[in-house]
Each structure stands twice: as structure tokens, then as C-alpha cells.
Amino acid sequence: MELAIIGLGKMGMNMATRLVRGGHRVVGYARTAATVDEAVSHGVEGAYSLEEAVGKLHAPRIVWVMVPAGKATDDTIDQLSNLLGKGDIVIDGGNSNYKDSARHAAELEPKGIEFLDCGTSGGIWGLSEGYSLMIGGKPEVAEKLRPIFETLAPAPDKGWGWMGPHGAGHFVKMVHNGIEYGMMQAFAEGFSIMKAKKEFNLDLAKISHVWQHGSVVRSWLLDLAANALDEDAQLKDIKPWVADSGEGRWTVFESIDLDVPAPVITLALQMRFVSRDEENYAARMLAALRNQFGGHAIKKVE
């Protein structure tokens, strides 16, 4: 099959490369010419404008959007709506809010342009390991693109599937990322506790490798933890500042709206906020209160 990928960040580039290796014709567009040139070196057919990318495709045209969620995705899909026509298909493979995806489908429908939201997981490892694909939209449209999904997934019959109507794919990916927050936080806390047990002088890298085989907590995240610890068990060159993509927040919002308790995911999100607070006024206030009521010592800023 042939398709255009709009947005050649690391993930978009790897997806385009995997598709080319799988025998698909891929047209790639990015805002910077150097990025397009790099994609060409991987066998992608370069396009230096959105119009050129669409123009290089044969009808019915398939356009996979891999740009940041929010305004960038809105603007890209709006432009595509004026370049594409009846029977063409737009896939949003980014981390869009599922409500935005439902809106995009509704906006494209009057023009006869089909839309799929495809939650995509796999990160930088997807090129070699394949991607987990969670698809929302019309099932018959998803079925038309089966060869693409089979190529991107870890195996033709594994790691991808239709989740439900428009928005369902990005909703499932949102929850997936919320779960990921909790799992990552648990690993971070566990290794931190072991590091603090100074009298045992624990080898954290060795422990991670022992856990990789036979333990209940063995997982891809543990494998990645082992990689990081092999490189530097003290993680001394990494600043303790953790970003969030937004999907963890959305998962917590949904849990509130649906009256479903999600304390682990919520606290994991809050801990990411803590990591960014160099001022940490709340901790200063706690120290001040302990001093006021009990005369407890306060550590002064040097």
C-alpha cells in the first residue's frame, strides 16, 4: 500500500522506515527540509510541503498524521480537509485527546473523508520491535488498512486491533499511558528504597537483571530500567525532573468524571509535578509548621 506520513519526529521516522522495509510506498513530510532529506535516506519518498505530500498519492489517499497533540494536530487536519476528498483516509497516530479525535471525525465526515484515531505505543523501539496499535473509527475502514497495521505491529496477528468507534483508540491509549505512569513510579520507588539501604550495598543493576527472569515484575519497563542502570547505576547525570505528555492527566480527569477510583495513577501523576518544583513551597511550609508547634529544627538554605 501507499501512504503519506505527516510529521517525521523520531517515532514518525521509525514508522516510515518500518513501512518501507515492509514493502509499502511511503511519502514523508516534515517542516524542516533536513528531516525530509534524512527520511529519503531511509527509502521514504520526500515531500517538502503538505500539498506535495498529498499530490504524490493515488486515490483513495491515506495520510497518517504524527504531529504533537492539540493545535498542531488541529491545524494539520484542517489543512488536509481542504486537500483531500471523498474516500480518502486520515489517521491520527499521535497522542490526541479522544474528544478531539471524535471532533475531527465529525468535521471530516461531511466531505466524505474517513478518519481513524490510532493510539500508538512503542516509542523509539518500535522500529525493531513493532508498535502496539489501538484503533478507533469505522471497523470497515480499519480493515481496509490491515496491511499497514500488520506491518507496523510486532506480528501480523499480534499487537494491534480495532477498539471501537471514533475516539476509542485514543481513549484506550490514554488509559494505557496512565497505567504506565503507575508502573514507572512503582519501579522508581522500589529502586530508591534499595539504594537507601546503605548497609547492604545492593547492586541495583544486578538486581534488575535477576528480576528479568522468572519474577512477577518482569516486563519491558524493567528491561529499560536494567539498561539505564547498566549505563549508570547512580543516575548521577540525570536531573530529577519528569515531564508528562498530558495523557496521565486526562486519565485522572476521566476517573473523576466516571467516579472510578484511581489512586495509584493519580499519585504517580502528582509525583511528576513534585519533581519539577525546585521551590517546593509546600515542603517549606511543613517544616515551618513543625518548628512552630514543636520547636523542631529547620534546615536553612545555604
Side-chain angles (χ1 to χ4, degrees), residues 34 101 112 139 184 237 255 262 277 281:
S101 297
M184 291 171 69
D237 294 328
S255 76
D277 187 6
Y281 185 83

Side-chain angles (χ1 to χ4, degrees), residues 234-274:
Q234 301 304 313
L235 306 179
K236 58 182 179 296
D237 294 328
I238 300 176
K239 185 177 180 180
W241 193 101
V242 187
D244 71 284
S245 64
E247 291 183 304
R249 300 180 187 219
W250 301 338
T251 305
V252 172
F253 296 159
E254 286 294 324
S255 76
I256 295 169
D257 288 343
L258 297 170
D259 295 329
V260 176
V264 172
I265 294 173
T266 301
L267 186 55
L269 173 65
Q270 295 291 330
M271 290 305 296
R272 294 198 178 194
F273 299 157
V274 170

Side-chain angles (χ1 to χ4, degrees), residues 88-116:
D88 293 337
I89 303 171
V90 173
I91 310 158
D92 179 5
N95 284 331
S96 293
N97 188 295
Y98 77 95
K99 296 177 182 177
D100 290 339
S101 297
R103 173 172 55 82
H104 291 147
E107 291 170 347
L108 294 173
E109 186 175 15
K111 296 187 176 184
I113 302 171
E114 301 290 355
F115 178 83
L116 294 176

